[in-house]
Amino acid sequence: QAQDKYRKHKDAMAPLRLWASMRMQTLYRTVRGMMYYRDAMMLLLEVQRPDLTPAERGVVVDSKFQCIVSMQRYKHFDAIYLEGTEAMFAEFPALNIAFIDEEENVHVPGGIEYYACLIDSSCELDERTGRRKPKDRVKLPGYPILGDGKGDNQNVALPFVRGRLVQTIDANQEGYLEEALKVCNMLAEFPRGDWSKERISILGFREHVYSALGSV
C-alpha cells in the first residue's frame, strides 16, 4: 500500500526526497559530497586548459578520479531502492557501484558462490529485474561478511579501485566544494618516489560529519 501511494505521487515526491536527503544521514548526501571532488577537478582543469572542450575535460578528469559506492545488497533491492539507485546514476554518470552477487553451486561448501561485482551508468539495464548487469565480476573465496560491517563493505569495492591514493569514508560524511578545490594541495602531500624520508601517516582534510544527533 505504501509503495502504491509513493508511485502515485512520485513526481511530486522527487524534489522533496532530495531536500530531505540533504538534511538526514543518507547515502545520497555522502555521494553528493564526494562528487564535489570531480566538480572541483573540472573547474581547475577549465582554468588550466581552457582550450579543451567540456567533453575532453570530462575524459581527463574521469581518468584521474573514481568514486565507488559499496552497496552489498544491491542484488536484493526492491523497486523503490532500485529507482533511487537509478536516480543517482542519472545525476552522477561517473558513479560506480560495487555489490555482492550470489550463485547456487552444489559443489562448493554451503552451496553458494559469491562474487564482487561492479556496475555504472553505462551497464545494460535488465528490464525484467530493474537491475544493471555487471561489467566486472570477481569470484570471492567464500562468504564475504565476516562481522566488521565497514571493513567488509569496503573489501567488496577494493578489487575495482585504481590509482595510487584511496580515500575510504563512511556513509555519514559529506564534503564542501570549497575544500574540494584544494585537492591539488592535498595530493601534493603524497610525494612520488622514495617515501622513506617523509612517510605521511595522517592527513587532515576538512569534511562534514553528520548524524541523527547533529553535525560537526
Side-chain angles (χ1 to χ4, degrees), residues 62-208:
D62 288 338
S63 71
K64 307 291 184 181
F65 172 79
Q66 181 187 33
C67 180
I68 300 182
V69 175
S70 190
M71 290 184 180
Q72 293 179 0
R73 296 189 57 77
Y74 174 79
K75 179 182 175 68
H76 304 286
F77 278 3
D78 62 19
I80 292 180
Y81 278 98
L82 289 172
E83 183 181 328
T85 304
E86 289 302 313
M88 284 203 298
F89 275 142
E91 184 170 353
F92 312 115
L95 178 66
N96 291 260
I97 291 177
F99 69 96
I100 298 172
D101 196 9
E102 305 168 2
E103 285 187 1
E104 293 185 1
N105 187 342
V106 296
H107 302 293
V108 300
I112 298 178
E113 288 183 322
Y114 297 92
Y115 296 84
C117 300
L118 186 71
I119 57 174
D120 61 19
S121 59
S122 69
C123 291
E124 180 185 353
L125 185 64
D126 188 329
E127 298 294 340
R128 183 179 58 85
T129 64
R131 297 175 180 82
R132 293 190 179 267
K133 298 179 180 179
K135 63 177 183 178
D136 294 312
R137 241 168 143 244
V138 177
K139 186 176 180 179
L140 302 174
Y143 185 60
I145 310 303
L146 303 177
D148 186 357
K150 294 178 182 178
D152 291 341
N153 207 26
Q154 291 168 357
N155 283 339
V156 174
L158 282 176
F160 310 111
V161 170
R162 54 176 169 75
R164 293 177 60 244
L165 303 175
V166 178
Q167 178 187 18
T168 58
I169 64 165
D170 295 338
N172 69 328
Q173 296 173 249
E174 197 189 353
Y176 301 95
L177 179 61
E178 300 86 346
E179 292 298 315
L181 288 168
K182 302 174 185 176
V183 64
C184 295
N185 305 74
M186 176 179 67
L187 295 176
E189 295 294 328
F190 297 91
R192 289 180 176 272
D194 185 8
W195 283 28
S196 61
K197 298 178 181 179
E198 187 179 356
R199 180 175 294 275
I200 304 299
S201 299
I202 299 176
L203 176 63
F205 203 66
R206 185 174 299 176
E207 61 187 349
H208 191 170

Side-chain angles (χ1 to χ4, degrees), residues 35-45 177 180-181 183:
M35 281 297 180
Y36 283 137
Y37 286 110
R38 186 180 188 279
D39 295 342
M41 290 180 181
M42 290 289 286
L43 290 171
L44 292 169
L45 187 57
L177 179 61
L181 288 168
V183 64

Side-chain angles (χ1 to χ4, degrees), residues 5 11 21-22 26 36 46 51-52 60 93 98 116 121 134 145 152 158-159 173 198:
K5 187 176 182 180
D11 290 339
S21 294
M22 292 302 293
T26 62
Y36 283 137
E46 184 177 1
D51 57 303
L52 297 179
V60 173
S121 59
I145 310 303
D152 291 341
L158 282 176
Q173 296 173 249
E198 187 179 356

